[in-house]
Amino acid sequence: MLETEYQEIDSQVRSCKAVQNLMPGVNVTTLKAAHQRQKKKKAVGIDGTTKSEYEQNLDENLESIIERMKRFSYRPLPVRRTYITKEGSDKMRPLGIPAYEDRLVQGVMADILIRIYEPKFLECSYGFRPNHDCHKATEALSKKIIFTKADWLVDVDIKGFFDNVNHNWLIKFLEHDIEDKNFIRYIKRFLKSGVMEDGKRLESDKGTPQGGLISPTLANVYLHYVLDLWFEKKVRGSCRGNAQMVRYADDFVCVFEREDEAMKFYEALKERFAKFGLEFAEDKSKVIRFGRFARQHGVEETFDFLGFRFINATSRNGKYTVACRTSPKKMKVKVAAMKRWLRDNMHIDKQELIQKINQKLVGHYRYYGITGNTAQLNLFCYFVTKELYRVLNRRSQRKLTWEKFKRILVFNPITQPKIYHKYA
């Protein structure tokens, strides 16, 4: 039933350049599907509405949304801004929480945008796309370094990307592909909905909606035009040597065969970004020599991408390869976070405590469990096990010997590392 709601959109995507008549895709059926995807224990926006409360009169509520959208009286509420601890830093990270109805509408509009842009996005683009997750991105980057002529690498950090997306440019990009003016009209309303912080409404004249389901796709559209197409058509087209890029959301790495072309791109990128209201942090961005040829010349540079450290290495059969390990910075942050969590939860029943630890360990393994990273997984498991022993010793006046601790683990074993992502 839900699939039929989008068939007309898919047909338009295949048959014409710019897509029309998108608003019928926002209807009771698609909104209800978006409602069902919402988690029950989600933080509430400024409307204070939870999923359970909203579904008490679900059909009437959804009909009301559609009616208001038809009359153009539907206006998104400001996003409630809260702050959470930034991992590995003393700084606080802003987190946006949309109102419940806005979450539903954004969810449906995001689905529509994905159907429009998925065929348009380039293969170098990863993140918030079907079958283009972070592990696909790290594997693709490794292969580009291993199997192409790669000797120089440009690693760039964009300053506050999601807060600096230029609204005017974003709308121009969308209008290039979408002719439904009402659909664009509601995207503009979401962009301008503002932020509520400490009871004060703050205007938003740039950036994508904080915490919004539509934000990742809008960000991908922006960088598709600002970076991906420019790199593919302009940069690669003018290079005499090999030039490749892998981008995951706003995090990207470019690989070049020639040093002069890598340096030229680095300088040109400043001008390109400035045109679209962006800039990169020069203290966190760099051009380095990396790849098989770099290793032959004794250059042993490394770089981090998506939480992994990339290292020039040799495979078991003596061939050049790229090894991916847990970034030392991320390892330090993860270990510190586990220590804090164990200290805060040290008085929980031992069996329940170890069950919760195992849940956290499995989450760590699922992300960092890639080919060649077993030693780092074992090291993390060792740190956690050692900290658990210390915590259990602190909560009782009777000393817990290592032998007694091992007997506890016999009946309540710590989950051991596992490789979840095998790279070819």
Side-chain angles (χ1 to χ4, degrees), residues 148-151 257 289-299 320:
T148 67
K149 292 181 179 179
D151 199 20
E257 180 182 353
R289 196 170 190 186
F290 191 93
R292 68 171 69 249
F293 305 111
R295 194 159 202 241
Q296 289 171 5
H297 287 85
V299 179
Y320 170 77

mmCIF file of all heavy atoms in Angstrom, residues 148-151 257 289-299 320:
data_model
loop_
_atom_site.group_PDB
_atom_site.id
_atom_site.type_symbol
_atom_site.label_atom_id
_atom_site.label_comp_id
_atom_site.label_asym_id
_atom_site.label_seq_id
_atom_site.Cartn_x
_atom_site.Cartn_y
_atom_site.Cartn_z
ATOM 1 N N THR A 148 44.399 2.139 -7.114
ATOM 2 C CA THR A 148 44.631 3.205 -8.099
ATOM 3 C C THR A 148 45.974 3.855 -7.801
ATOM 4 O O THR A 148 46.580 3.613 -6.756
ATOM 5 C CB THR A 148 43.517 4.274 -8.049
ATOM 6 O OG1 THR A 148 43.592 4.984 -6.806
ATOM 7 C CG2 THR A 148 42.141 3.638 -8.189
ATOM 8 N N LYS A 149 46.424 4.664 -8.732
ATOM 9 C CA LYS A 149 47.695 5.362 -8.522
ATOM 10 C C LYS A 149 47.473 6.489 -7.528
ATOM 11 O O LYS A 149 47.055 7.591 -7.893
ATOM 12 C CB LYS A 149 48.211 5.905 -9.848
ATOM 13 C CG LYS A 149 48.640 4.814 -10.828
ATOM 14 C CD LYS A 149 49.163 5.418 -12.132
ATOM 15 C CE LYS A 149 49.605 4.330 -13.093
ATOM 16 N NZ LYS A 149 50.098 4.898 -14.373
ATOM 17 N N ALA A 150 47.749 6.214 -6.288
ATOM 18 C CA ALA A 150 47.507 7.182 -5.208
ATOM 19 C C ALA A 150 48.813 7.466 -4.484
ATOM 20 O O ALA A 150 49.491 6.541 -4.035
ATOM 21 C CB ALA A 150 46.465 6.635 -4.234
ATOM 22 N N ASP A 151 49.176 8.729 -4.392
ATOM 23 C CA ASP A 151 50.412 9.086 -3.708
ATOM 24 C C ASP A 151 50.234 10.277 -2.778
ATOM 25 O O ASP A 151 51.034 10.483 -1.882
ATOM 26 C CB ASP A 151 51.495 9.397 -4.746
ATOM 27 C CG ASP A 151 52.890 9.323 -4.155
ATOM 28 O OD1 ASP A 151 53.054 8.684 -3.098
ATOM 29 O OD2 ASP A 151 53.827 9.894 -4.738
ATOM 30 N N GLU A 257 47.224 11.415 -7.522
ATOM 31 C CA GLU A 257 48.473 10.796 -7.949
ATOM 32 C C GLU A 257 49.621 11.789 -7.900
ATOM 33 O O GLU A 257 50.748 11.439 -7.562
ATOM 34 C CB GLU A 257 48.315 10.260 -9.378
ATOM 35 C CG GLU A 257 49.560 9.591 -9.928
ATOM 36 C CD GLU A 257 49.375 9.111 -11.353
ATOM 37 O OE1 GLU A 257 48.235 9.173 -11.863
ATOM 38 O OE2 GLU A 257 50.384 8.680 -11.964
ATOM 39 N N ARG A 289 51.442 12.857 2.074
ATOM 40 C CA ARG A 289 51.831 11.806 1.137
ATOM 41 C C ARG A 289 51.394 10.473 1.733
ATOM 42 O O ARG A 289 51.771 10.128 2.857
ATOM 43 C CB ARG A 289 53.339 11.826 0.886
ATOM 44 C CG ARG A 289 53.728 11.026 -0.355
ATOM 45 C CD ARG A 289 55.154 11.218 -0.780
ATOM 46 N NE ARG A 289 55.379 10.620 -2.090
ATOM 47 C CZ ARG A 289 56.554 10.531 -2.674
ATOM 48 N NH1 ARG A 289 57.630 11.009 -2.060
ATOM 49 N NH2 ARG A 289 56.672 9.976 -3.867
ATOM 50 N N PHE A 290 50.617 9.732 0.972
ATOM 51 C CA PHE A 290 50.072 8.479 1.494
ATOM 52 C C PHE A 290 49.795 7.532 0.336
ATOM 53 O O PHE A 290 49.267 7.927 -0.693
ATOM 54 C CB PHE A 290 48.784 8.740 2.274
ATOM 55 C CG PHE A 290 48.276 7.566 3.060
ATOM 56 C CD1 PHE A 290 48.637 7.396 4.384
ATOM 57 C CD2 PHE A 290 47.469 6.609 2.456
ATOM 58 C CE1 PHE A 290 48.183 6.304 5.111
ATOM 59 C CE2 PHE A 290 47.005 5.519 3.167
ATOM 60 C CZ PHE A 290 47.366 5.360 4.496
ATOM 61 N N GLY A 291 50.141 6.249 0.528
ATOM 62 C CA GLY A 291 49.906 5.247 -0.506
ATOM 63 C C GLY A 291 51.131 4.374 -0.700
ATOM 64 O O GLY A 291 52.128 4.512 0.011
ATOM 65 N N ARG A 292 51.050 3.460 -1.698
ATOM 66 C CA ARG A 292 52.153 2.518 -1.894
ATOM 67 C C ARG A 292 53.456 3.229 -2.233
ATOM 68 O O ARG A 292 54.535 2.813 -1.790
ATOM 69 C CB ARG A 292 51.791 1.502 -2.983
ATOM 70 C CG ARG A 292 51.689 2.069 -4.380
ATOM 71 C CD ARG A 292 51.548 0.985 -5.433
ATOM 72 N NE ARG A 292 50.265 0.328 -5.337
ATOM 73 C CZ ARG A 292 50.088 -0.927 -4.947
ATOM 74 N NH1 ARG A 292 51.132 -1.652 -4.594
ATOM 75 N NH2 ARG A 292 48.895 -1.460 -4.897
ATOM 76 N N PHE A 293 53.380 4.295 -3.020
ATOM 77 C CA PHE A 293 54.604 4.998 -3.419
ATOM 78 C C PHE A 293 55.200 5.774 -2.247
ATOM 79 O O PHE A 293 56.419 5.877 -2.122
ATOM 80 C CB PHE A 293 54.303 5.919 -4.601
ATOM 81 C CG PHE A 293 53.682 5.207 -5.761
ATOM 82 C CD1 PHE A 293 52.360 5.453 -6.111
ATOM 83 C CD2 PHE A 293 54.389 4.258 -6.482
ATOM 84 C CE1 PHE A 293 51.771 4.788 -7.169
ATOM 85 C CE2 PHE A 293 53.811 3.586 -7.540
ATOM 86 C CZ PHE A 293 52.494 3.844 -7.888
ATOM 87 N N ALA A 294 54.327 6.309 -1.409
ATOM 88 C CA ALA A 294 54.805 6.996 -0.205
ATOM 89 C C ALA A 294 55.577 6.026 0.671
ATOM 90 O O ALA A 294 56.638 6.357 1.212
ATOM 91 C CB ALA A 294 53.626 7.588 0.557
ATOM 92 N N ARG A 295 55.054 4.810 0.785
ATOM 93 C CA ARG A 295 55.725 3.814 1.641
ATOM 94 C C ARG A 295 57.068 3.411 1.052
ATOM 95 O O ARG A 295 58.039 3.181 1.783
ATOM 96 C CB ARG A 295 54.832 2.587 1.794
ATOM 97 C CG ARG A 295 55.310 1.684 2.938
ATOM 98 C CD ARG A 295 54.190 0.784 3.408
ATOM 99 N NE ARG A 295 54.461 0.333 4.751
ATOM 100 C CZ ARG A 295 54.611 -0.952 5.087
ATOM 101 N NH1 ARG A 295 54.484 -1.880 4.197
ATOM 102 N NH2 ARG A 295 54.854 -1.278 6.335
ATOM 103 N N GLN A 296 57.134 3.309 -0.264
ATOM 104 C CA GLN A 296 58.397 2.950 -0.912
ATOM 105 C C GLN A 296 59.475 3.992 -0.658
ATOM 106 O O GLN A 296 60.657 3.684 -0.650
ATOM 107 C CB GLN A 296 58.167 2.780 -2.421
ATOM 108 C CG GLN A 296 57.369 1.532 -2.776
ATOM 109 C CD GLN A 296 56.965 1.503 -4.246
ATOM 110 O OE1 GLN A 296 57.362 2.364 -5.037
ATOM 111 N NE2 GLN A 296 56.177 0.500 -4.623
ATOM 112 N N HIS A 297 59.041 5.241 -0.444
ATOM 113 C CA HIS A 297 59.988 6.326 -0.163
ATOM 114 C C HIS A 297 60.173 6.551 1.343
ATOM 115 O O HIS A 297 60.739 7.560 1.759
ATOM 116 C CB HIS A 297 59.507 7.628 -0.813
ATOM 117 C CG HIS A 297 59.661 7.643 -2.305
ATOM 118 N ND1 HIS A 297 58.721 7.109 -3.157
ATOM 119 C CD2 HIS A 297 60.684 8.099 -3.091
ATOM 120 C CE1 HIS A 297 59.122 7.261 -4.409
ATOM 121 N NE2 HIS A 297 60.305 7.846 -4.406
ATOM 122 N N GLY A 298 59.664 5.632 2.141
ATOM 123 C CA GLY A 298 59.878 5.693 3.577
ATOM 124 C C GLY A 298 58.996 6.672 4.316
ATOM 125 O O GLY A 298 59.251 6.996 5.482
ATOM 126 N N VAL A 299 57.938 7.176 3.666
ATOM 127 C CA VAL A 299 57.014 8.108 4.307
ATOM 128 C C VAL A 299 55.938 7.310 5.035
ATOM 129 O O VAL A 299 55.234 6.510 4.420
ATOM 130 C CB VAL A 299 56.359 9.059 3.278
ATOM 131 C CG1 VAL A 299 55.391 10.004 3.982
ATOM 132 C CG2 VAL A 299 57.436 9.830 2.528
ATOM 133 N N TYR A 320 51.248 -4.638 -0.850
ATOM 134 C CA TYR A 320 50.835 -3.386 -0.201
ATOM 135 C C TYR A 320 49.338 -3.413 0.103
ATOM 136 O O TYR A 320 48.524 -3.881 -0.692
ATOM 137 C CB TYR A 320 51.152 -2.187 -1.085
ATOM 138 C CG TYR A 320 50.535 -0.902 -0.561
ATOM 139 C CD1 TYR A 320 51.101 -0.229 0.513
ATOM 140 C CD2 TYR A 320 49.352 -0.399 -1.110
ATOM 141 C CE1 TYR A 320 50.531 0.931 1.021
ATOM 142 C CE2 TYR A 320 48.771 0.766 -0.607
ATOM 143 C CZ TYR A 320 49.361 1.417 0.457
ATOM 144 O OH TYR A 320 48.784 2.554 0.968
#
